[in-house]
Amino acid sequence: MFTDLWTARKNALGLSKTLMAATLVITAGTHFSVITADEFDGDTATIVNAYDPYA
């Protein structure tokens, strides 16, 4: 989990390029988390950013 949005976005982009899979930055209370898009099954309102390495 990250407390800084910039750090979370940077890690999500790097993870997306490394895994060649879509990643998401989501909010979890006052923190941010990075997960792969295929593992996300929560509320779409919590998504802050989405990164797709093929886009």
Side-chain angles (χ1 to χ4, degrees):
M1 297 193 86
F2 302 95
T3 56
D4 181 42
L5 180 57
W6 182 84
T7 306
R9 287 177 174 168
K10 185 176 176 182
N11 281 288
L13 181 60
L15 185 63
S16 177
K17 290 179 179 180
T18 301
L19 296 177
M20 294 305 290
T23 58
L24 302 172
V25 176
I26 60 170
T27 58
T30 59
H31 293 87
F32 302 97
S33 296
V34 176
I35 62 170
T36 58
D38 59 342
E39 294 179 9
F40 181 72
D41 61 354
D43 183 13
T44 56
T46 62
I47 298 174
V48 177
N49 286 96
Y51 296 98
D52 186 357
Y54 299 107

